[in-house]
Amino acid sequence: MIWVIHVLNGIAIGMLLFLLAAGLSLIFGLMKILNLTHGSFYLVGGYIGLTVMQRTGSFALALLAAAAAIALLGAVIERFVLRRFHLDELPQTLLTFGFLFIFADLSLWIWGGDPVMVRQPRILAGSLPMGDYGYPIYRLFLIAVGLVVAGALWWFQEHTRLGTMLRAGVDDAEIARALGIDVSLLFTLIFAVGAALAALGGVLAAPILSLYPGADFDALILAFVVVIVGGLGSLKGALVGALLVGLLDDFGKAFFPQFALFTVFVPMAFILVVRPTGLFGRR
Amino acid sequence: MTGRIGSIVVCVVFVALMLALPHMVRPYYVGLATKMIIFALFAMSLDLLLGYTGLASLGHAAFFGVAAYAVALLILRAGVGGWIAFPAALVASTVTGALVAVLALRARGSYFLMITFALAQVVWSVAFGWRSFTNGDDGMPGVARPNFGWSLEGTDAFYYFVLAVVGCAALLLLAIVKSPFGRALRGIRESETRMQALGYDVWRYQFVAFVLAASFAGLAGALYAYFNRFVGPEYLHVIQSAEALIMVILGGAGTLVGPAIGAALIVFLEDYVSSLTQHWLLVLGSIYVLVTLFAPRGLVGLIVDYRQRRFEP
Amino acid sequence: MTTTKTIPFGMTIAPYAATSLARRRVLRSIATAGAVALTLGAPGLAAQADDTIKIGILLPLSGNFAPNGQQALTGMKMYFDEIGNTAAGHKLELIVEDTQGKPDVGVTKARKEVERDGAQVLTGVVSSGVALAVNDYSRENKVPLVLSGDAGADELTMPGPLTNPYLIRTSQNGRSVSAPAADWAYKKGWRKVTIIGSDYAGGVDTNHAFAQAFCALGGKVIQEQWPPIGTSDFGPYLTNLDRTADAVVTFEPGADGLRFGQQFSEFGLKGKLPVLDIYGTIVYEPNLPQLGDGALGIYSSLFYAAMLKTPENDRFVAELKKRTGNLPSNEGPNGYTGARAIADAITAVKGDLTDTMKFMAALKAVKFPSPKGDLSLDKYGQVIQSMFIREVQKVDGQLANVPIATYANIDQFWPFTEAEFAEYKYSYKELKGSLTDCGKLLAKK
């Protein structure tokens, strides 16, 4: 039974990682931007969710508000700042880095430095008895949410016009533009969606992992590890990478506690040596 | 030619100022100047990679930190003196640079950036997590300064030591960038494919540049370990790499002197701002954004532009 | 691999800067600017002599320890305001610098306060890493250091290589917070415990002291787990917990404490295993409302409880609540106490700090009732105070840490004498991983 719990744990954390990494991967795949502000989207999204939760008591509203607010923020950043440096990678990266620092400081200013946890919605609180142990229902909920989001993103990518345009844009932006696809609008949209995913991750993670100054960097690093393992630009890569990292992290901590910090980096280092573009990355 | 005489005058004045500094300001500022010089070297080393070879690395602090840790570990754990610790630290950072280069140079652009970031994080996690070896989060205090005949414990003595070491390193870097090797690097920066077509083994040049950059960064790291008499995982953190990057960009990539100025400015600003407010990160982030938007070629670029315009009809 | 050409950033400057003419011009402009700045600035950088006594405060005001630093600063300011920022007729000036929780920054700021701003005594410090670095600085430069923050590294005030005659510590040390907890745990009837301790010097220190004291009484640690500092997900550790233990003893600082507490309930362990939280980091006042009823019944050991009913504390709690709207935890009372120690010592030397050793003697001689109880210092400058075992209960509808047991006159070696303590063979560093081995814990030289 204890094995089942460890596996569930790995998958639950993996789903959180997926939400985080999917956005980063999508943004890079289409726009070739390494969005370092992604960590801020996670943290600020989480904090916004916290504030909404405190005012209204509704977790669903918190999720919605955070996703919407951060999507807007992302769209504005992309449209008015990043767009200026189209295809110039270093300036874009530097800008997103600058924003990461700015948002880190602002969130410390606004929400303070004490770590905070969003209260779990009552229906999801409590644990499912599993033999001698109990497993948190909320984490099972996370697994469900992750699967739903993954499914939705996949369906969007494969079966909608927008998704087809996205795939075309990823393959070759210039040709896509030549074919009449409004690539600029697509860019803004995808950036916003990626940001919203990170924000969702932040709100969903808050009840268990808490929000604290520095969570943006921690999240960013984990997202990086996942996309390096899974491959940039691939949704499948983000999912597989996230699950792999989540499981390895849990089992690593449980059975090799002295290497607890490294269990996250080991798969990454391995992939870098063996297959630098990641499991499902494109060259 | 007045230009040449003018530039000699400038050099002499500058050197004189640097030499006279300890007699002009209080010890605290001599310490600050020492820190500025050390980071000037760090920034210049990154400039070799970014400004001259065109490779943007987000993990340069790894080499800085590895050298610092090498110094601390050798002195504190192996009881070794400065004569051995110092060069050993350089070797450590050079070797680390070579390892990272081999892995990272399989990619370009954003992939390269991400990989350098990730690898630097791995090094950081070793320093942070391997408590029994590195003391982890607490860091390693008590690093004694080397004694090469004179004691370097005093602020002024150490300042002159750093000035001498970095001065030589800077001249060496200058020689490197002016050499045919340096010119080849600039060619690679402009267009890899063209250089490849011309018969240059591009990878080899990039590799050597990367390793050299790592060595010079290591030199700066070793000096910093002695300066603080302390080493901690923050030396390896991505924020340190990010600060190096902004020093280069702020000053002006590809000029060597620009990044040195950028470094001095950032070190000074950080010291000044953090006394006034705890919002240094906000200031740093804003500098990033503002410089990228309005002064992408850095301060040197701005000055050159200004002077260019003055002479335009 | 992208087919579009990446324009190397800022590379367009190359054609210009490459010409030595442009470069020279640039150098000239900068050099002249620098020279002007220095000549103008140099006189302004000279020191100013004054009758004011300057106190250099070193606290993390940004970064992960920011809330702790802020609380400590509030506590300090509270005391200095109470005495009108004056002692022995001299005005007291507080110089506050942010250490960011980083040792190198801490030393730089210490240097700044002493060398640039003329501070005659340093105080504060939350992070043990910063404490160790600043301790070195204090010793080398003979600057009095009054540690009044969380930095509880035992070896700072024990005889050994770090001994610093210019140091006193009014806050606590790791051992003294956990050894009484071991005594209480044994008296409560617990004989087997499982330890979850944060993997860093403070955590190892504290849990070692618990294990050693517990073994000495006849108890035993049956399991030890060491999540790294900053662990977000305690799932694996909680799942691994040995359920046959009588209780789980934890030391999880900062945000880790909040997460641990929450996840403990989450995994259905509440009610199955009592929790003894060393240092009260899980039941830290700002965490209680977030943990909700899941925190009820958690025991903790600390040198303070906001619910302590003494005239000193009642006054303190009322004032702190007025300033911050919150109940005090540990940093506020510590900051307040450290400030008082400094002020009392300044009064004892009549405001003349020029004889540093005399000032240190005065500091070591301080003795007064504080919000955390009666306080004095041992010969190494380490505080002797009371420890409290508290339990989370509902008081007037709010969750609070209520003291249920008191241990008075706890010094840094408790329950051993200094001589007895010196007889133990292994240091805590060597014992991580061996906390389940009573034989090794109690082995004498």
Side-chain angles (χ1 to χ4, degrees), chain B residues 4-14:
Chain B
R4 180 131 292 174
I5 297 174
S7 105
I8 292 179
V9 167
V10 159
C11 284
V12 168
V13 167
F14 183 69

Side-chain angles (χ1 to χ4, degrees), chain A residues 2 5-6 9 13 32 50 85 87-91 94 108 113-120 126-127 132-139 172 174 207-214 218 249-251 253-255 257-258 260-261 282-283, chain C residues 1-9 61-64 66-68 199 225-241 243 254-256 258-259 262-263 265-269 272 284 286-287 289-292 326:
Chain A
I2 198 171
I5 301 220
H6 278 303
N9 230 27
I13 297 296
K32 303 288 180 285
L50 171 79
F85 296 93
L87 294 181
D88 212 348
E89 290 165 354
L90 187 56
L94 288 176
L108 179 62
D114 280 320
V116 284
M117 295 190 114
V118 171
R119 191 69 68 85
Q120 280 173 8
S127 52
D132 205 14
Y133 302 84
Y135 196 71
I137 296 181
Y138 186 78
R139 295 193 186 209
D172 196 325
E174 286 180 48
I208 45 171
L209 301 182
S210 80
L211 299 168
Y212 53 95
D218 291 348
D249 187 49
D250 186 285
F251 279 92
K253 278 187 179 148
F255 299 108
Q258 57 269 42
L261 267 188
R282 28 185 85 235
R283 257 243 142 237
Chain C
M1 183 94 147
T2 172
T3 50
T4 47
K5 179 178 152 197
T6 308
I7 305 156
F9 187 49
L61 298 170
S62 65
N64 295 356
N68 310 68
D199 190 1
Q225 297 191 83
W226 298 100
I229 213 181
T231 296
S232 299
D233 181 25
F234 289 94
Y237 305 100
L238 290 169
T239 314
N240 264 3
L241 269 184
R243 306 300 174 96
D256 295 5
L258 175 62
R259 289 191 282 260
Q262 215 279 26
Q263 292 171 27
S265 308
E266 228 200 339
F267 276 78
L269 287 165
K272 294 229 176 87
Y284 186 59
N287 292 351
Q290 302 186 67
L291 291 173
N326 299 324

Side-chain angles (χ1 to χ4, degrees), chain A residues 31-101:
Chain A
M31 298 146 69
K32 303 288 180 285
I33 296 177
L34 198 61
N35 177 31
L36 295 167
T37 320
H38 211 64
S40 304
F41 293 151
Y42 170 88
L43 184 61
V44 177
Y47 275 132
I48 291 178
L50 171 79
T51 307
V52 171
M53 188 74 178
Q54 284 170 340
R55 299 280 167 85
T56 69
S58 161
F59 194 62
L61 202 61
L63 283 169
L64 230 68
I70 298 297
L72 188 63
L73 181 66
V76 165
I77 291 179
E78 195 280 330
R79 178 73 184 75
F80 295 107
V81 184
L82 294 177
R83 186 76 68 82
R84 292 225 219 161
F85 296 93
H86 190 57
L87 294 181
D88 212 348
E89 290 165 354
L90 187 56
Q92 284 172 337
T93 305
L94 288 176
L95 281 171
T96 58
F97 221 160
F99 285 124
L100 179 65
F101 286 156

Side-chain angles (χ1 to χ4, degrees), chain A residues 103-217:
Chain A
F103 289 131
D105 200 283
L106 286 177
S107 38
L108 179 62
W109 206 339
I110 300 176
W111 284 283
D114 280 320
V116 284
M117 295 190 114
V118 171
R119 191 69 68 85
Q120 280 173 8
R122 215 152 300 159
I123 34 162
L124 296 172
S127 52
L128 198 67
M130 289 185 139
D132 205 14
Y133 302 84
Y135 196 71
I137 296 181
Y138 186 78
R139 295 193 186 209
L140 294 170
F141 165 68
L142 276 182
I143 296 179
V145 168
L147 288 172
V148 166
V149 171
L153 285 173
W154 175 83
W155 180 82
F156 160 79
Q157 202 176 250
E158 299 296 318
H159 294 281
T160 63
R161 260 191 74 208
L162 207 56
T164 318
M165 287 196 267
L166 169 65
R167 278 182 292 136
V170 170
D171 277 336
D172 196 325
E174 286 180 48
I175 302 286
R177 212 177 271 115
L179 288 174
I181 295 176
D182 188 346
V183 178
S184 313
L185 187 60
L186 203 58
F187 275 21
T188 311
L189 203 67
I190 293 304
F191 200 86
V193 168
L197 282 172
L200 277 179
V203 181
L204 287 168
I208 45 171
L209 301 182
S210 80
L211 299 168
Y212 53 95
D216 42 6
F217 279 94

Side-chain angles (χ1 to χ4, degrees), chain B residues 123-299:
Chain B
V123 178
W124 174 86
S125 72
V126 170
F128 189 83
W130 199 350
R131 297 202 55 85
S132 47
F133 191 48
T134 64
N135 251 10
D137 205 16
D138 295 327
M140 307 181 74
V143 177
R145 289 185 183 165
N147 193 320
F148 295 131
W150 295 276
S151 163
L152 293 174
E153 294 297 325
T155 315
D156 290 357
F158 192 67
Y159 167 78
Y160 285 121
F161 174 68
V162 166
L163 192 60
V165 171
V166 173
C168 293
L171 288 172
L172 198 59
L173 273 169
L174 198 62
I176 292 175
V177 301
K178 280 189 190 280
S179 72
F181 175 74
R183 284 200 291 274
L185 288 182
R186 262 171 284 163
I188 292 173
R189 181 194 68 204
E190 292 302 326
S191 168
E192 271 185 50
T193 39
R194 198 189 310 149
M195 294 303 280
Q196 196 83 48
L198 286 170
Y200 284 88
D201 184 346
V202 169
W203 187 92
R204 194 164 294 188
Y205 276 86
Q206 288 172 327
F207 180 76
V208 173
F210 199 99
V211 171
L212 279 174
S215 313
F216 282 104
L219 181 59
L223 287 173
Y224 198 52
Y226 285 128
F227 174 66
N228 275 328
R229 294 193 182 91
F230 165 87
V231 170
E234 318 84 63
Y235 289 22
L236 297 160
H237 200 272
V238 67
I239 295 187
Q240 190 73 276
S241 294
E243 281 192 1
L245 206 53
I246 197 60
M247 286 173 188
V248 173
I249 305 288
L250 177 63
T255 62
L256 270 195
V257 70
I261 297 167
L265 209 61
I266 294 280
V267 168
F268 174 75
L269 269 176
E270 181 169 14
D271 181 79
Y272 186 65
V273 170
S274 57
S275 287
L276 297 175
T277 155
Q278 50 255 44
H279 297 288
W280 164 244
L281 273 189
L282 187 62
V283 172
L284 186 62
S286 309
I287 293 178
Y288 260 91
V289 174
L290 292 172
V291 169
T292 311
L293 286 177
F294 302 117
R297 293 179 307 167
L299 288 171

